[in-house]
């Protein structure tokens, strides 16, 4: 039975044919009303597998990148009437059975954005490479200092957003690359919206997608630029605001 408000899962997909069935089967369909997969010109059978699963499938005519894929995902979910949107990587790294716990704070009205954190558990036990662990810890520490939060992880591929949040922040202004996620977090913080997190086990294995070291370095540097831009804009707002004002504006896109 469907629930109200409408919960929609979106999957930004690229070469996910080997893991899509397992990911989809773990989705608790008593909570989720609809699943949308956006394919970013995969070179495998991702689209054929998704169609066999009877998902709503949107296929890009050209590769738009990870961020560009998410923009299509959120546009489609909002157009389909979503009140809560869950972004789930279709690579079976994240435990989709945790969706009810992920969306509950949004449905209860106590959060606007929820993150499925691997670091509330033991990501190394799940197979996370140690260099990824160290890099994640470093960037998360900087982000907590910059945003004034105390989250355990910002770099997860398992997230949920309220409709109001996606209609408030200008996610279309963000990068089409992997740093899209961190730019969106910065926008959410700047808008004064609420972020929460739950523990989510993760799995690293041969078929799961993973960003290589070179791409991770580019992503890390892009995240640092996002934080620097956030700090600069925050200083500019403080100079412009009247004494005692707590007004906040969304982060400008790049």
């Amino acid at each position: 039975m469907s629930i109200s408000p409408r919960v929609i899962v979106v999957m930004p997909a690229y070469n996910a044919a080997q893991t899509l069935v397992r990911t989809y089967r773990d989705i608790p369909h008593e909570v989720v009303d609809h699943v949308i997969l956006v394919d970013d010109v995969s070179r495998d059978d991702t689209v054929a597998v998704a169609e066999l699963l009877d998902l709503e499938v949107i296929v890009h005519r050209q590769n738009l990148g990870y961020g560009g894929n998410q923009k299509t995902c959120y546009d489609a979910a909002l157009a389909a009437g979503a009140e809560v949107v869950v972004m789930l990587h279709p690579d079976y790294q994240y435990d989709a059975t945790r969706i009810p716990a992920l969306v509950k704070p949004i449905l209860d009205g106590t959060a606007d954005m929820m993150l499925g954190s691997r670091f509330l558990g033991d990501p190394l036990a799940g197979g996370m490479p140690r260099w990824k662990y160290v890099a994640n810890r470093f960037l998360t520490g900087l982000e907590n200092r910059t945003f004034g939060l105390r989250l355990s992880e910002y770099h997860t591929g398992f997230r949920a957003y309220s409709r109001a949040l996606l209609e408030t922040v200008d996610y279309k202004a963000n990068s089409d690359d992997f740093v899209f996620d961190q730019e969106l977090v910065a926008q959410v913080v700047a808008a004064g919206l609420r972020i929460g997190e739950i523990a989510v086990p993760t799995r690293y294995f041969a078929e799961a997608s993973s960003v290589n070291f070179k791409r991770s370095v580019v992503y890390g540097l892009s995240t640092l630029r996002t934080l620097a831009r956030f700090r600069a804009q925050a200083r500019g707002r403080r100079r412009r605001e009247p004494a005692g004002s707590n007004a906040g504006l969304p982060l400008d896109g790049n």
Side-chain angles (χ1 to χ4, degrees):
M1 175 182 289
S2 296
I3 64 170
S4 182
R6 191 164 161 80
V7 177
I8 293 181
V9 169
V10 295
M11 293 182 178
Y14 180 69
N15 294 341
Q18 295 186 67
T19 55
L20 178 56
V21 173
R22 283 176 285 175
T23 303
Y24 178 74
R25 284 178 177 169
D26 279 356
I27 293 173
H29 296 281
E30 72 276 8
V31 172
V32 173
D33 295 275
H34 190 52
V35 180
I36 301 171
L37 181 140
V38 178
D39 183 77
D40 207 26
V41 196
S42 292
R43 293 171 294 180
D44 64 4
D45 294 326
T46 296
V47 172
V49 173
E51 290 174 343
L52 286 173
L53 292 171
D54 201 27
L55 307 185
E56 178 181 347
V57 181
I58 299 171
V59 181
H60 285 164
R61 292 186 176 182
Q62 64 183 44
N63 186 285
L64 298 182
Y66 175 67
N69 192 319
Q70 284 195 67
K71 293 173 189 179
T72 302
C73 285
Y74 301 139
D75 287 349
L78 293 176
E83 292 296 332
V84 179
V85 181
V86 177
M87 191 275 284
L88 172 65
H89 287 185
D91 59 4
Y92 202 58
Q93 278 196 24
Y94 298 89
D95 186 355
T97 67
R98 297 286 288 154
I99 287 176
L102 189 72
V103 302
K104 186 177 186 299
I106 296 176
L107 294 172
D108 290 345
T110 59
D112 304 293
M113 173 181 180
M114 289 294 297
L115 302 174
S117 172
R118 297 166 290 185
F119 284 78
L120 289 174
D122 186 355
L124 292 175
M128 177 181 284
R130 187 164 293 276
W131 68 267
K132 284 182 178 286
Y133 179 95
V134 172
N136 194 313
R137 292 289 78 213
F138 172 72
L139 290 174
T140 292
L142 289 180
E143 285 172 288
N144 275 332
R145 290 179 60 185
T146 300
F147 298 142
L149 301 175
R150 298 180 62 182
L151 297 174
S152 64
E153 182 184 15
Y154 292 86
H155 308 278
T156 172
F158 187 34
R159 300 162 172 245
Y161 306 98
S162 69
R163 182 183 187 91
L165 181 151
L166 292 173
E167 291 179 336
T168 296
V169 302
D170 185 11
Y171 60 83
K172 292 182 182 180
N174 292 339
S175 171
D176 286 340
D177 210 337
F178 287 102
V179 77
F180 172 93
D181 283 341
Q182 305 317 312
E183 292 178 339
L184 183 52
V185 170
Q187 290 176 316
V188 170
V189 174
L193 300 171
R194 300 160 298 174
I195 304 175
E197 59 181 353
I198 63 165
V200 175
T202 188
R203 318 172 184 97
Y204 280 81
F205 54 98
E207 294 84 7
S209 64
S210 185
V211 180
N212 63 31
F213 181 78
K214 181 178 179 181
R215 293 287 290 161
S216 293
V217 170
V218 173
Y219 168 75
L221 294 174
S222 298
T223 297
L224 295 178
R225 285 194 293 270
T226 298
L227 297 180
R229 188 166 65 245
F230 178 91
R231 286 193 294 265
Q233 292 180 359
R235 286 194 296 269
R237 289 196 297 271
R238 285 195 294 269
R239 286 194 296 266
R240 293 192 301 269
E241 290 168 5
S245 171
N246 290 317
L249 296 173
L251 181 72
D252 294 338
N254 58 357

